[in-house]
Amino acid sequence: MSKEIDELKSIAGDYKIWALKSRKRFIDLRFQQDLEIREIYIRLTNNISKQLKKEGLSPFNKKRLEQMYLVLSQSEWILKKKLINNFKKYSEANIEAATGYSKAILINGIEKTGVKKIEKPIIEKMYFRTNEKAVEAIWNRTKEGLYLSDNIWSKAEKYRNTMTTIIQGAVAEGQDCVKTARMLDQYVLKGKKTLVDDYPNMIKRIGNRVPSDISYESLRLARTKMTAAYGEGTLISASVNPAAKGIKYILSNTHPKPDMCDAICGVDDYGLGSGVYPVENAPSYPFHPNCLCTVITVTEKPKDFVQRLKRWQANPMSEPSLESWYQNVYKKYIT
Ligand SMILES: [Zn+2]
């Protein structure tokens, strides 16, 4: 981790405290979301097993099985709703974490310069809208024809199918309801591997149709999409920040062997530095599922930015790029 952090600090320069804060928030959110998603699966499964336990030591009959199908279909629906809410909450938080960096830099420049023409509430509004746009981008983008919500729904369907497989396996084994309930609880908590000793016949029967870890696919989707959200926030907030010079990708130390990340983070195709891209040419990020490469906006140094703002304040035409930002970006948010 330390090499990445060193690189992050060196790119951020005087802004390093804000860069570290954004990165830390991202890591914390990732950890919290992981826990929350696991908790959703555990609670949902406990709820199914509670229904089963009511049936005691009797084996399944047709009526009980029908009831369980109903419970499973309700569970799928609840899981869809809970996962969507979870992804909404965390995508918004990740975007805010990312854009906070850009916002802090811009506000700092304006305050240090004391520019009258640029007002802090307008900047606040600009970033608020920018965050909204990034959220929309995350939810409206399709991959292979599927929206993020479709991907989330398919995880809930998979959950229902897996639970159905286990319960049907229990019926075929003549296993009683309490034992099946315990099996579900153990599975969601500790994974398929731990079932082999206690339920050897069942695992032989259905093992290849049951994933090792029922929440893994949702966790992987969450990690990938939240990295994408953070990346989207970084990109979109750089596009409205006149101090931004590009987007830098920093290779994660967690890569066991070279992959596409090495190529993207290691080249200097635009003469902006290693792994730095113009905002409009930034590669699609993350580069693969579970990718932990870091993304950060490259900005001009605070001193240079303040100097430029001062020159622009004295004579707008002396700083055409700032004037263009003022006319075409900033003014859009004055209403
Ligand atoms: Zn990577």
Side-chain angles (χ1 to χ4, degrees):
M1 202 62 169
S2 71
K3 208 182 132 229
E4 291 162 57
I5 293 295
D6 286 347
E7 216 176 335
L8 191 74
K9 279 156 114 178
S10 107
I11 286 293
D14 294 330
Y15 299 129
K16 65 172 176 266
I17 289 175
W18 295 329
L20 292 173
K21 197 178 142 202
S22 286
R23 186 63 185 169
K24 185 177 183 305
R25 178 85 177 122
F26 169 77
I27 301 285
D28 289 349
L29 285 169
R30 189 178 170 95
F31 181 71
Q32 280 168 29
Q33 189 181 19
D34 249 57
L35 285 180
E36 260 179 49
I37 289 177
R38 283 199 188 278
E39 191 62 30
I40 289 171
Y41 276 88
I42 291 167
R43 288 222 179 145
L44 203 56
T45 308
N46 287 167
N47 188 45
I48 296 171
S49 67
K50 219 186 281 165
Q51 308 279 339
L52 271 172
K53 278 178 193 154
K54 279 188 202 154
E55 305 296 331
L57 297 175
S58 53
F60 283 94
N61 58 27
K62 206 170 167 226
K63 192 171 145 250
R64 281 183 193 119
L65 191 59
E66 293 296 327
Q67 275 167 356
M68 283 322 293
Y69 285 151
L70 187 67
V71 173
L72 292 177
S73 112
Q74 285 163 347
S75 301
E76 178 188 333
W77 195 80
I78 294 168
L79 184 56
K80 280 179 179 170
K81 227 174 66 179
K82 294 215 168 202
L83 286 177
I84 292 277
N85 286 341
N86 173 285
F87 274 63
K88 284 223 164 104
K89 177 172 119 186
Y90 282 95
S91 59
E92 282 166 21
N94 273 292
I95 285 165
E96 219 179 303
T99 62
Y101 180 64
S102 174
K103 181 172 151 183
I105 289 172
L106 183 50
I107 288 178
N108 178 67
I110 288 158
E111 285 179 345
K112 286 237 162 91
T113 318
V115 191
K116 302 241 159 40
K117 272 163 76 182
I118 303 171
E119 290 170 39
K120 198 172 155 188
I122 305 293
I123 297 298
E124 300 271 1
K125 190 159 131 196
M126 182 175 89
Y127 280 96
F128 181 79
R129 293 271 170 81
T130 300
N131 287 359
E132 280 181 339
K133 233 192 260 172
V135 171
E136 272 168 37
I138 288 297
W139 290 89
N140 291 342
R141 186 173 300 146
T142 58
K143 202 182 171 189
E144 284 148 19
L146 296 175
Y147 290 102
L148 172 55
S149 54
D150 297 325
N151 278 324
I152 294 170
W153 282 37
S154 77
K155 307 303 171 227
E157 279 157 24
K158 176 134 193 199
Y159 174 79
R160 195 235 288 235
N161 291 337
T162 302
M163 292 295 135
T164 305
T165 301
I166 295 175
I167 287 173
Q168 284 173 344
V171 171
E173 281 291 308
Q175 195 170 283
D176 71 61
C177 295
V178 166
K179 195 173 174 189
T180 307
R182 283 208 196 104
M183 186 180 171
L184 291 179
D185 287 340
Q186 186 179 337
Y187 172 54
V188 73
L189 269 181
K190 295 176 181 160
K192 185 171 77 181
K193 251 195 271 166
T194 67
L195 299 176
V196 177
D197 288 340
D198 297 333
Y199 311 88
N201 294 335
M202 270 285 278
I203 291 304
K204 216 175 278 168
R205 189 186 290 273
I206 60 164
N208 57 354
R209 285 181 286 145
V210 173
S212 323
D213 174 352
I214 186 66
S215 51
Y216 178 73
E217 277 194 23
S218 289
L219 293 173
R220 187 171 106 134
L221 182 68
R223 289 171 193 152
T224 308
K225 292 300 170 186
M226 295 312 127
T227 307
Y230 190 90
E232 188 70 37
T234 303
L235 213 64
I236 213 162
S237 63
S239 72
V240 295
N241 188 331
K245 297 203 297 198
I247 301 291
K248 157 118 179 149
Y249 299 92
I250 301 170
L251 187 69
S252 160
N253 289 345
T254 56
H255 282 121
K257 49 178 192 272
D259 61 12
M260 68 224 297
C261 303
D262 294 78
I264 296 169
C265 301
V267 295
D268 183 7
D269 282 347
Y270 297 91
L272 293 168
S274 179
V276 184
Y277 296 77
V279 177
E280 61 279 11
N281 296 100
S284 171
Y285 168 85
F287 311 127
H288 56 80
N290 280 339
C291 175
L292 261 175
C293 293
T294 311
V295 60
I296 181 172
T297 308
V298 181
T299 56
E300 62 187 322
K301 292 193 176 79
K303 207 175 64 201
D304 298 343
F305 185 42
V306 168
Q307 283 306 318
R308 223 153 53 86
L309 282 168
K310 280 184 177 159
R311 282 197 298 270
W312 171 75
Q313 179 159 246
N315 173 14
M317 288 309 151
S318 69
E319 288 294 335
S321 69
L322 270 180
E323 180 58 14
S324 158
W325 171 80
Y326 181 75
Q327 296 297 339
N328 302 314
V329 180
Y330 177 84
K331 275 192 167 174
K332 271 202 300 198
Y333 300 94
I334 309 172
T335 42

